[in-house]
Amino acid sequence: MAKKLVIKVTAGADAPERCSQAFTVAAVAVASGVEVSLWLTGESSWFALPGRAAEFELPHAAPLPDLIESINAAGQITLCTQCAARREITEKDVIEGVRIAGAQVFVSEIMADGVQSLVY
């Protein structure tokens, strides 16, 4: 069994079911004691900003702010460097605990022994 789960979510409000699935899987994994690293890329990048997750709605899905809070409390949330730059998001703009990092960090995380990676 993987000791760490790295999830890259590329979808945001443009693909709400795929987006919600990524955050739900990450939150369930954290609650199950799995080490989780969640990467926000593409349209999900906006959810690194305070208050943006509250704007997301999907019937019969857990509220995105609650999922982010649980992931951030026990896991790592990372905003893609290039995605942040394209949206003019800086480290001072993001939710406390969210880091900004690039492809080199992502590749090193997914190539480590005992890691399972998923992309949504």
Side-chain angles (χ1 to χ4, degrees), residues 9 14 20 24 30 45 77 81 86 102 114:
V9 55
D14 59 325
S20 180
T24 300
V30 163
S45 299
I77 299 177
T81 301
R86 280 189 280 276

Side-chain angles (χ1 to χ4, degrees), residues 76-97:
Q76 175 66 63
I77 299 177
T78 305
L79 172 59
C80 162
T81 301
Q82 290 180 6
C83 300
R86 280 189 280 276
R87 291 161 180 81
E88 299 181 357
I89 300 171
T90 67
E91 289 181 351
K92 66 182 177 199
D93 300 320
V94 299
I95 298 166
E96 186 176 339

Side-chain angles (χ1 to χ4, degrees), residues 93-118:
D93 300 320
V94 299
I95 298 166
E96 186 176 339
V98 172
R99 68 176 175 172
I100 297 177
Q104 181 180 2
V105 176
F106 179 77
V107 170
S108 71
E109 283 190 14
I110 65 170
M111 295 307 294
D113 289 337
V115 173
Q116 173 68 51
S117 60
L118 303 171

Side-chain angles (χ1 to χ4, degrees), residues 29-55:
V30 163
S32 300
V34 175
E35 182 182 353
V36 173
S37 177
L38 178 69
W39 283 72
L40 306 177
T41 67
E43 286 303 300
S44 72
S45 299
W46 296 113
F47 299 129
L49 298 175
R52 290 302 285 264
E55 299 170 7

